[in-house]
Amino acid sequence: MPFRPHPTLPTAPAAGQDLPLQGLTLMLVDDSRFTCDALRLILQRAGAKLRRAESLEIARLHLNCYRPDLAIIDLGLPDGRGEDLIAELSGQGFPVLGISGDPDGRDLALDAGAAAFLEKPLGSVAGLVRLIRQLTTGVGPIDKGEEVPTPAGDPMALRDDLARAAGLIRAPGDPGYARAFVQSLARAAGDQALEDAVRGGTTPFDRARVARIIEDRLEALRSLA
């Protein structure tokens, strides 16, 4: 199937409709603008306030100033592993929801102390809201194996993440982080061809092939502008 970066976004609640996450403050620790924009729209329309941190350092700075009702933490971050922050917060009795584009991240997140785990791509708005209510209010059972995906994000946010991915795979640095970022982005965007290219490359991975695919995606997004 050809790549089509057209998102499906949730509609705003009708006038007078109850907001299921009204009054909650959430912190999202994730380096992908594409994922963050999708979650921001969903959670704000459900009544929650959302603060984003794109690294462990920024997350810890935020946590020095305030304590949200729930932290949603991605495992692959530019300055370390999300499991470290999950362990810190869960050790303080703080509720944490782990997320990752890597299916193997489930055990890592839960072992670190996360109350539940979501695998990217995310898709059911109702399921996500229900899980957050369970984690923050204790209403209803928590299924740690439940997959709770959300709609795709803004094409312009996807473009920004793809541009960052192109820079990461061309520049010297941590190839493991670059690979994880591209793979997670591919899964979140539902881009099987890009995900397969990252998974099937040589060690650390076939940068030239992945770069060509990313440039094709960027060109497709430019044509939509």
Side-chain angles (χ1 to χ4, degrees):
M1 181 179 294
F3 173 68
R4 295 185 178 91
H6 296 285
T8 300
L9 297 174
T11 57
Q17 181 177 337
D18 289 338
L19 300 177
L21 303 183
Q22 184 71 47
L24 293 179
T25 300
L26 312 177
M27 182 174 71
L28 175 60
V29 186
D30 196 307
D31 55 343
S32 167
R33 185 188 160 200
F34 181 64
T35 297
C36 290
D37 278 10
L39 287 175
R40 182 186 301 277
L41 180 60
I42 292 162
L43 297 174
Q44 288 182 340
R45 286 184 173 177
K49 295 180 180 179
L50 184 67
R51 184 171 295 187
R52 178 198 174 192
E54 61 184 21
S55 68
L56 294 174
E57 179 183 11
I58 295 173
R60 290 184 173 115
L61 289 173
H62 283 326
L63 290 167
N64 285 334
C65 302
Y66 84 110
R67 285 282 169 165
D69 297 292
L70 175 73
I72 304 172
I73 301 177
D74 187 34
L75 299 187
L77 295 166
D79 55 350
R81 297 294 303 174
E83 301 98 296
D84 294 338
L85 185 58
I86 290 174
E88 289 176 25
L89 295 179
S90 63
Q92 300 169 22
F94 191 80
V96 182
L97 173 59
I99 60 173
S100 178
D102 182 357
D104 294 335
R106 182 181 305 274
D107 289 342
L108 295 173
L110 297 181
D111 288 347
F117 174 81
L118 300 181
E119 181 184 333
K120 300 176 187 178
L122 310 174
S124 162
V125 175
L128 174 62
V129 170
R130 183 174 66 252
L131 179 59
I132 290 174
R133 278 178 57 85
Q134 290 168 346
L135 292 173
T136 54
T137 67
V139 176
I142 298 173
D143 181 356
K144 293 188 178 183
E146 184 181 10
E147 293 185 5
V148 204
T150 58
D154 180 0
M156 296 304 99
L158 175 58
R159 181 194 62 187
D160 289 350
D161 275 3
L162 285 168
R164 182 183 178 197
L168 284 172
I169 65 173
R170 292 192 182 102
D174 181 358
Y177 171 70
R179 179 180 182 136
F181 181 85
V182 177
Q183 182 176 315
S184 181
L185 177 59
R187 287 181 62 83
D191 191 338
Q192 190 63 52
L194 179 56
E195 183 180 357
D196 289 345
V198 177
R199 285 183 177 274
T202 58
T203 303
F205 61 99
D206 187 344
R207 293 173 181 253
R209 182 182 175 210
V210 173
R212 286 195 299 271
I213 294 174
I214 291 174
E215 287 301 327
D216 289 344
R217 303 305 186 247
L218 285 169
E219 186 60 34
L221 286 164
R222 292 186 192 105
S223 69
L224 296 176

